[in-house]
Amino acid sequence: MRIVFVGAGRLATQFAKALYAKGHTIEAVYSRTMDNATILTSVVGGSPTDTIASLPLTADAYIIAVKDAVLPAVIAQLKEGRVECPMFHTAGSVPMSVFEGPLHHGVIYPMQTFSKERDVDFTHLPFFIEANDGLSFQVATKLATSVSDNVRELSSTARRHLHLAAVFACNFSNHCYKLAADILERQGVSFDVLLPLIDETAQKVHSMHPHDAQTGPAVRYDENVINAQLQLLADEPLKQQVYEIMSKSIHHD
């Protein structure tokens, strides 16, 4: 299929590379920064541009991977002269109703954390798709199934809750790693000592419900341990609040 990417960030980079590897043609890539568009097209082909108006007027699919806040403005510009072209955004928390002009539109949401520097194996990656009509659903399905064997239809409402769950499971967890790294660095201890613990914790939830896998002083609400650790955070009130709230949440779950 002939694809235009609107965006050249982390998700766009990895998705474009995956589609290109499966034989799709990347016609063009837009980014607000010409350097970013050029870097991506040097890998997947196509014409780089920093102007939406200069993108091709026809393609089998336009994939929009930009910040949620600018999606309405980008769609408004993109639909000029392309109102009958299938367009898809890739955001987890933005409803499909953000499209107010293109006849054929939908959502292709690959649920994963992406980095430009770290390639992702899309083979079993969960894709969640939604479409406003048969043509859009057919295109979304063809694109998603060409790179993944785990493609599911999901409504905007359910997808927003899925994205919320992903924030807890990924973004908040990673921030906890950062807090842990801060604590260790102050004592001259390398973060990598925690990696076996982190790996085992992640592996357990492959075979156990997270509720059953939970351990630590907060489960039994061991106040002696909890209060002693809160004291260690006395000079960092924000971390102290996080520790206290997390401990209460674990205990009351």
Side-chain angles (χ1 to χ4, degrees):
M1 301 184 80
R2 298 177 301 112
I3 304 165
V4 170
F5 266 87
V6 183
R10 291 171 292 183
L11 188 158
T13 295
Q14 294 300 329
F15 195 11
K17 287 165 69 174
L19 289 168
Y20 175 74
K22 294 298 183 180
H24 297 282
T25 300
I26 310 302
E27 297 267 301
V29 174
Y30 159 83
S31 174
R32 290 183 304 167
T33 306
M34 190 65 174
D35 284 350
N36 289 340
T38 302
I39 289 170
L40 183 51
T41 55
S42 71
V43 177
V44 301
S47 302
T49 182
D50 58 2
T51 307
I52 290 178
S54 66
L55 288 170
L57 292 176
T58 60
D60 294 316
Y62 292 79
I63 297 178
I64 309 169
V66 297
K67 293 181 180 179
D68 294 2
V70 302
L71 256 176
V74 167
I75 291 170
Q77 293 179 65
L78 186 64
K79 72 183 182 183
E80 295 297 328
R82 307 176 186 86
V83 71
E84 295 188 11
C85 299
M87 298 180 184
F88 305 91
H89 78 65
T90 57
S93 59
V94 179
M96 187 172 64
S97 60
V98 70
F99 289 100
E100 292 183 349
L103 293 177
H104 312 294
H105 57 260
V107 180
I108 303 175
Y109 173 51
M111 192 182 67
Q112 183 57 282
T113 176
F114 294 101
S115 301
K116 286 187 178 181
E117 305 80 8
R118 182 179 172 84
D119 287 345
V120 172
D121 181 2
F122 278 71
T123 306
H124 307 298
L125 186 68
F127 270 75
F128 299 90
I129 63 174
E130 184 180 14
N132 76 316
D133 64 7
L135 174 62
S136 302
F137 184 79
Q138 181 181 2
V139 173
T141 301
K142 186 171 183 178
L143 288 173
T145 56
S146 70
V147 297
S148 172
D149 61 12
N150 188 0
V151 179
R152 314 176 191 197
E153 187 177 4
L154 197 69
S155 70
S156 289
T157 299
R159 179 167 34 81
R160 292 174 72 181
H161 285 83
L162 174 67
H163 188 254
L164 171 61
V167 167
F168 273 95
C170 174
N171 307 129
F172 289 176
S173 293
N174 189 73
H175 184 62
C176 286
Y177 300 156
K178 168 61 168 57
L179 298 182
D182 290 345
I183 291 168
L184 290 177
E185 286 166 9
R186 290 178 61 177
Q187 302 302 315
V189 180
S190 173
F191 177 75
D192 61 14
V193 301
L194 292 180
L195 294 179
L197 176 64
I198 291 169
D199 291 344
E200 175 61 16
T201 302
Q203 281 300 314
K204 280 202 295 188
V205 296
H206 282 261
S207 57
M208 300 172 64
H209 191 281
H211 178 273
D212 299 325
Q214 187 69 58
T215 61
V219 173
R220 57 190 181 275
Y221 213 73
D222 187 331
E223 294 191 65
N224 289 333
V225 174
I226 290 171
N227 289 334
Q229 293 188 336
L230 285 170
Q231 260 322 109
L232 293 176
L233 297 170
D235 61 340
E236 297 184 273
L238 188 56
K239 282 191 179 74
Q240 199 176 51
Q241 289 178 48
V242 171
Y243 181 99
E244 192 165 20
I245 290 170
M246 290 286 283
S247 294
K248 287 180 178 177
S249 179
I250 290 169
H251 181 64
H252 292 292
D253 184 33

